[in-house]
Amino acid sequence: MNVIGKVTVLPQLPPGIARLSELAYNLYWSWTPQAQALYEELDAPNWERFQHNPVRQLLEVPQARLEQAAADPAYLARYAKVMADFDAYMGKKDTWAAKNAAGMKPVAYFSMEYAFHESLPIYSGGLGVLAGDHCKSASDLGIPFTAVGMLFHQGYFRQLFDKDGWQNEAYDELDLTTLPITPALTEGGEEARVKVRIGERDVHVRIWNLNVGRIRVLLLDTNVPENSEDDRKLTARLYGGNQELRVQQYVLLGVAGIRALRVLNVPGDVYHMNEGHAALLGLERTREYVARGLDFKTALETVASSTLFTTHTPVAAGNDAFAYDLMDRYIGAWPAQLAASRDELYKLAEHEQMWDGHPVPTFSMTVFALNMSRAANGVSELHGEVSRDMWKFLYPGAETEEVPIGHVTNGAHNLTFTSQAMRDLLGTVLPADWTERLEDEQMWAAVEKLTDQQLQDVQRDMKRDMITFVRGRMREQMLRNGASAADVAATDTLLDENTLTIGFARRFATYKRATLLFRDKARLSRIVNHPERPVQFVFAGKAHPADNPGKSFIQEIYKISQEPEFRGKIVILENYDMHVARHLVQGVDIWLNNPRRPLEASGTSGMKASFNGSPNLSILDGWWREGFDGTNGWPIGEEREYADLNVQDDADAFSMYHTLETDITPRYYGGLSGQPTWASTVRRAIQTVSPRFSMQRQVIDYVEKYYRPIAERGATLASGNSTRARELAAWKGWVRQQWPYTTLTATAQLPATARPGQSVPVTAQVNPAGINLDELRVEAVLNRGGHLTRVPLVSRGGGTYSAEIPLQDSGLYSVGVRMLPVIDGLSNDLEAGLIKWA
């Protein structure tokens, strides 16, 4: 057929259920199972076929079936309840933000990927799930919030295993007319378009609108007729292609993303960069201020003061860095637009790295993001520590713990991942408004009222649903790969609902050690096939298309799952996505996570399992280092690092096997005398993890620790045509110019030994080289066991400083003296980046 055009014929919904179309275009349904059920009931096979997409479902359902549903009193009653709940949610005035953050300034949030639902596959893994959940909770809490991302027409990829268990990738072109998105319209009613100069050409960008509860997400799309074939592919795939494509995509996200906000008149007082992919938004924001008459450095101070950067990557290789000549090709015109030199701009991103055995200055997106913001955070307590150590070279002379990178531990959106059955059960003991108070730890104490039998019944039902799902998925895979009739039939006996079931699902990056479980196969076989206390495992996860070691891990697990002693008891599912994730976190008895500590920035899948009552068996890394309390799950290994990775793997594998054999399986199958019961562990998992690691808690932390203070400081620096920003920029320029000429000497009268509480005199002499002495902080720094104590020295006039330094506790102290330039209004003491030690 020679296609000359396409047209979408929208359904004519009967008046009684007419608002199903309105609801389909708001992702509120994605965390509301009862809303999803309204669409599923119309045609269950199509609901599965089209990845649970309400828009596509309504397009495909015959008119007669719609009329039938509209005449069904039971269906109408369910419809009325869902719509009443939806209206109450959308119209709620007394939100958390209204009560706790009235007058909060609007936030613009930038992320390369978002995982809202499997029907909109513009995500690859945890970063996207986090971003999607962040948006959902921003809606739940009622904060002023707009998200910006990219509409990838082929998404990430669909994962298919061949008959040997090797991962293959398939890319499906999304039909935009069947997605819950609409063209974003300007105030004049026209489709919103922006353009951005990339290299030597203009790239045109269409903007799509996605409603997520009370907030909106703007998605950028270059697949428009005005663009060349190559430029239309800039938004084809997430994390596809080479470094050239990545740089162009980052220009799009940052520069076109800011322009999308402007053309739609969407306000933003705080700009939140979720990972370094979004760092180039600083280019466009700085250009805007320069165009208004500010000089480059004043514009930079103004922009950075209202910007927050969240880093997610605890390994150097995961932080994008590009050669200068590559950046020249795509942002070469930007220095002139910023009234800056190339050196001035690139210095903000400079990270010298060893490439091919030679030190090479590179343009680091993370370094640029850190320099273009005045607040930064990691995503767990340990990740904050790791990040401070990774990036301390940007603050010469600073100790690691002083580096201005904080942390907000990740959470997950409870309602997206908690099954309806568990929600119904929780609703029997929690207050009526519990879904609006998820972060309230005291409220969750009521979980103790749930009986052992209630928990067992709900979890058994969830496990049955998961097993049915696993069998169906494995049957599809077998049929596609031409398996024998016997092998296809065997999928009907995969897994057993009475057996302890452990789940492992995540990206198959090698540091996550998906194959650690198989380090001692003979011992594992004894655990799996124990006559009274058997164990079974379900795996899932994608490797990046270019990650052959990760693919080898997948294949290794697949081959082991086909060995006689493990067949039917170890399963690995293909095409891990949000749909698979929900089934697993709701259906397994235990969640397993064994990354190589300390490389797991946070992780969130284990949180979701505990929302459903599944305790964690995990390395004390990321969120579990904070979440484990001795009663709500189990640790693997010790809270330490290893010099030898093989020793670490041996130790962690041994710990895993030992815990399974001596504690977990006996507890699950009947308990040990004097030990906690399985149900008590389940209750503790729900009770402790649900509030502390809810996405609502996370977003509230961002509001209180970052969004509100950043908005206030940003407004101060921008007021009066950036008067304060100009003063700060000028001051930094002056002190940096004079700093090489300053001198500092110090003496300390330190006895060989001292008593706790004794003081020692410290004296310093400063030559300020013209810098105002009031703008220099001179301090003694005591290092005891890695912990720093700073004691200011008092000016005695003439550049002399002294103080009596107390030695409060016993121990070995190192004593040093330093000075650093500080004035009122800095975001932190190290903002000027200057420290001089005596």
Side-chain angles (χ1 to χ4, degrees):
M1 176 179 178
N2 185 22
V3 178
I4 61 171
K6 293 183 178 181
V7 61
T8 300
V9 180
L10 299 174
Q12 186 63 44
L13 291 171
I17 56 172
R19 295 185 67 201
L20 282 178
S21 182
E22 174 192 347
L23 181 61
Y25 283 91
N26 189 313
L27 291 191
Y28 167 86
W29 56 258
S30 70
W31 65 88
T32 312
Q34 291 168 341
Q36 295 169 40
L38 292 177
Y39 300 100
E40 181 179 12
E41 288 179 54
L42 297 174
D43 188 332
N46 265 356
W47 180 248
E48 289 299 321
R49 180 184 171 199
F50 296 125
Q51 291 79 47
H52 321 106
N53 178 351
V55 175
R56 184 66 182 269
Q57 182 80 323
L58 292 179
L59 289 171
E60 299 289 341
V61 174
Q63 192 69 34
R65 177 67 187 103
L66 294 173
E67 300 288 352
Q68 183 185 33
D72 179 351
Y75 185 90
L76 288 174
R78 292 191 292 276
Y79 167 82
K81 174 68 166 61
V82 167
M83 295 311 302
D85 289 346
F86 176 56
D87 289 339
Y89 178 88
M90 295 299 290
K92 186 176 177 62
K93 302 299 182 188
D94 59 335
T95 61
W96 178 90
K99 292 184 285 189
N100 297 281
M104 180 181 160
K105 299 299 184 181
V107 176
Y109 179 90
F110 283 65
S111 182
M112 193 70 172
E113 55 174 299
Y114 292 91
F116 296 113
H117 187 259
E118 60 269 17
S119 62
L120 189 61
I122 55 173
Y123 62 94
S124 70
L127 180 72
V129 175
L130 182 90
D133 283 6
H134 196 115
C135 293
K136 292 173 183 178
S137 283
S139 168
D140 293 339
L141 294 166
I143 71 172
F145 188 92
T146 304
V148 179
M150 310 265 273
L151 181 62
F152 295 102
H153 288 246
Q154 296 177 7
Y156 189 42
F157 66 87
R158 184 162 48 89
Q159 179 194 50
L160 301 169
F161 295 162
D162 64 20
K163 61 183 176 57
D164 298 316
W166 187 257
Q167 171 183 298
N168 292 285
E169 297 84 35
Y171 292 90
D172 304 316
E173 190 76 23
L174 300 177
D175 184 346
L176 303 192
T177 63
T178 67
L179 297 178
I181 59 175
T182 54
L185 302 178
T186 65
E187 292 178 352
E190 300 173 337
E191 284 196 11
R193 299 288 184 98
V194 298
K195 65 180 179 180
V196 58
R197 190 84 172 163
I198 299 181
E200 300 299 318
R201 66 202 192 277
D202 286 331
V203 176
H204 298 265
V205 184
R206 174 169 48 191
I207 306 163
W208 295 90
N209 189 80
L210 175 68
N211 293 319
V212 180
R214 304 180 183 111
I215 71 145
R216 68 193 297 200
V217 182
L218 306 179
L219 297 175
L220 310 174
D221 172 19
T222 64
N223 190 16
V224 295
E226 301 95 304
N227 287 332
S228 69
E229 194 62 33
D230 285 342
D231 287 343
R232 294 181 72 157
K233 293 177 181 176
L234 289 176
T235 53
R237 297 180 182 178
L238 172 64
Y239 305 141
N242 55 20
Q243 285 204 317
E244 295 223 13
L245 177 64
R246 281 227 175 173
V247 171
Q248 294 174 80
Q249 289 181 330
Y250 296 169
V251 173
L252 274 175
L253 177 60
V255 178
I258 293 294
R259 292 179 184 176
L261 293 172
R262 303 297 185 253
V263 76
L264 293 167
N265 286 323
V266 175
D269 285 68
V270 175
Y271 293 81
H272 185 173
M273 302 182 292
N274 189 44
E275 246 318 337
H277 312 134
L280 298 184
L281 68 83
L283 293 179
E284 176 64 5
R285 292 193 61 216
T286 303
R287 185 200 63 78
E288 291 176 326
Y289 282 109
V290 169
R292 296 177 204 169
L294 298 187
D295 63 274
F296 172 65
K297 291 182 178 178
T298 302
L300 170 62
E301 292 296 336
T302 308
V303 167
S305 69
S306 56
T307 306
L308 168 65
F309 169 53
T310 297
T311 175
H312 294 260
T313 312
V315 289
N319 291 270
D320 283 317
F322 304 102
Y324 279 3
D325 61 346
L326 175 60
M327 297 305 295
D328 287 343
R329 286 204 287 280
Y330 296 110
I331 67 167
W334 277 91
Q337 295 183 63
L338 304 179
S341 69
R342 176 183 182 270
D343 287 347
E344 282 180 300
L345 180 60
Y346 283 28
K347 194 72 175 175
L348 294 169
E350 184 179 348
H351 185 188
E352 189 172 275
Q353 303 193 52
M354 293 300 293
W355 284 5
D356 297 327
H358 303 286
V360 176
T362 67
F363 191 106
S364 164
M365 299 299 285
T366 302
V367 172
F368 192 62
L370 287 167
N371 281 320
M372 294 300 291
S373 58
R374 292 292 177 262
N377 70 282
V379 291
S380 70
E381 184 179 53
L382 180 58
H383 180 232
E385 294 173 14
V386 170
S387 297
R388 287 189 286 276
D389 190 55
M390 279 183 68
W391 303 108
K392 67 182 178 183
F393 70 89
L394 297 174
Y395 305 90
E399 299 296 323
T400 298
E401 72 175 55
E402 300 177 292
V403 172
I405 299 176
H407 81 276
V408 172
T409 300
N410 281 349
H413 190 251
N414 304 59
L415 300 186
T416 292
F417 295 98
T418 307
S419 75
Q420 187 63 53
M422 181 58 76
R423 285 160 70 163
D424 291 343
L425 178 60
L426 293 171
T428 65
V429 295
L430 296 178
D433 64 346
W434 69 275
T435 59
E436 298 170 23
R437 299 167 50 194
L438 294 165
E439 75 287 353
D440 184 347
E441 294 191 33
Q442 290 186 329
M443 177 191 77
W444 286 92
V447 167
E448 289 295 333
K449 299 176 185 176
L450 295 175
T451 68
D452 293 10
Q453 193 62 51
Q454 284 176 309
L455 288 167
Q456 181 179 318
D457 290 346
V458 166
Q459 290 193 297
R460 181 59 57 85
D461 287 344
M462 292 192 295
K463 185 189 280 189
R464 286 180 183 137
D465 287 344
M466 181 197 71
I467 290 174
T468 299
F469 172 76
V470 168
R471 290 172 177 174
R473 278 293 182 98
M474 292 302 295
R475 180 181 178 85
E476 290 175 14
Q477 181 182 323
M478 292 286 189
L479 289 170
R480 190 188 70 248
N481 286 325
S484 68
D487 284 345
V488 173
T491 60
D492 292 335
T493 59
L494 286 175
L495 307 180
D496 171 61
E497 68 177 54
N498 297 308
T499 296
L500 173 64
T501 305
I502 299 178
F504 177 103
R506 54 195 27 87
R507 280 190 307 118
F508 265 61
T510 51
Y511 76 87
K512 293 179 183 284
R513 298 191 298 181
T515 57
L516 185 68
L517 179 68
F518 307 103
R519 199 159 181 86
D520 185 341
K521 283 173 58 179
R523 188 169 183 182
L524 177 63
S525 179
R526 293 195 296 272
I527 293 170
V528 166
N529 296 296
H530 192 286
E532 288 90 35
R533 300 193 296 267
V535 183
Q536 59 195 10
F537 294 86
V538 183
F539 287 83
K542 291 179 175 179
H544 186 278
D547 182 7
N548 283 332
K551 292 182 181 182
S552 295
F553 277 13
I554 291 172
Q555 186 175 50
E556 180 181 344
I557 296 172
Y558 178 83
K559 288 184 173 179
I560 290 172
S561 75
Q562 303 304 304
E563 295 175 3
E565 67 265 42
F566 298 120
R567 197 173 180 88
K569 300 164 187 175
I570 291 179
V571 175
I572 182 164
L573 296 176
E574 66 182 7
N575 203 34
Y576 180 50
D577 64 3
M578 290 188 74
H579 184 46
V580 173
R582 281 196 305 274
H583 278 287
L584 296 191
V585 299
Q586 292 170 9
V588 300
D589 297 305
I590 287 178
W591 197 257
L592 175 66
N593 189 24
N594 45 244
R596 188 179 302 285
R597 179 189 155 98
L599 301 183
E600 182 83 297
S602 174
T604 60
S605 54
M607 304 171 187
K608 301 156 193 170
S610 285
F611 295 166
N612 290 283
S614 301
N616 277 258
L617 170 62
S618 180
I619 298 288
L620 290 168
D621 195 10
W623 80 278
W624 186 236
R625 176 179 181 253
E626 301 167 50
F628 173 63
D629 72 355
T631 69
N632 58 358
W634 298 268
I636 296 173
E638 300 174 336
E639 194 171 350
R640 53 166 289 196
E641 277 73 61
Y642 291 79
D644 187 312
L645 301 186
N646 276 316
V647 172
Q648 182 179 18
D649 290 349
D650 284 339
D652 289 343
F654 176 85
S655 171
M656 187 193 317
Y657 297 139
H658 180 75
T659 302
L660 279 168
E661 291 169 328
T662 62
D663 189 342
I664 292 175
T665 54
R667 192 181 304 197
Y668 181 81
Y669 284 104
L672 297 168
S673 177
Q675 295 295 314
T677 65
W678 184 258
S680 69
T681 308
V682 169
R683 275 190 288 268
R684 287 294 296 166
I686 297 171
Q687 184 179 335
T688 58
V689 175
S690 297
R692 289 183 59 197
F693 299 97
S694 69
M695 181 56 70
Q696 285 192 198
R697 188 276 309 153
Q698 179 199 304
V699 175
I700 289 170
D701 280 356
Y702 273 110
V703 170
E704 295 178 342
K705 292 176 67 173
Y706 291 108
Y707 291 165
R708 296 178 76 181
I710 287 171
E712 183 177 339
R713 184 170 185 272
T716 298
L717 264 69
S719 65
N721 196 30
S722 294
T723 299
R724 186 57 182 152
R726 184 176 292 103
E727 292 169 352
L728 275 180
W731 176 80
K732 286 181 183 179
W734 163 250
V735 297
R736 286 169 181 162
Q737 174 185 309
Q738 297 303 110
W739 197 249
Y741 308 109
T742 62
T743 60
L744 172 68
T745 58
T747 59
Q749 298 177 26
L750 302 177
T753 61
R755 299 181 308 277
Q758 185 175 336
S759 295
V760 295
V762 174
T763 303
Q765 186 68 42
V766 171
N767 168 22
I771 299 173
N772 191 328
L773 285 172
D774 292 338
E775 296 172 353
L776 292 174
R777 176 181 298 162
V778 182
E779 58 189 15
V781 180
L782 282 68
N783 186 329
R784 176 181 175 272
H787 178 69
L788 302 184
T789 302
R790 292 174 287 275
V791 181
L793 301 188
V794 179
S795 175
R796 308 299 180 185
T800 300
Y801 293 77
S802 66
E804 291 287 324
I805 309 301
L807 305 174
Q808 300 287 14
D809 300 301
S810 60
L812 178 62
Y813 287 84
S814 299
V815 180
V817 174
R818 70 182 185 183
M819 69 176 178
L820 56 163
V822 292
I823 57 171
D824 289 342
L826 295 180
S827 61
N828 63 79
D829 289 346
L830 303 186
E831 186 179 316
L834 300 172
I835 296 176
K836 182 161 287 186
W837 289 88

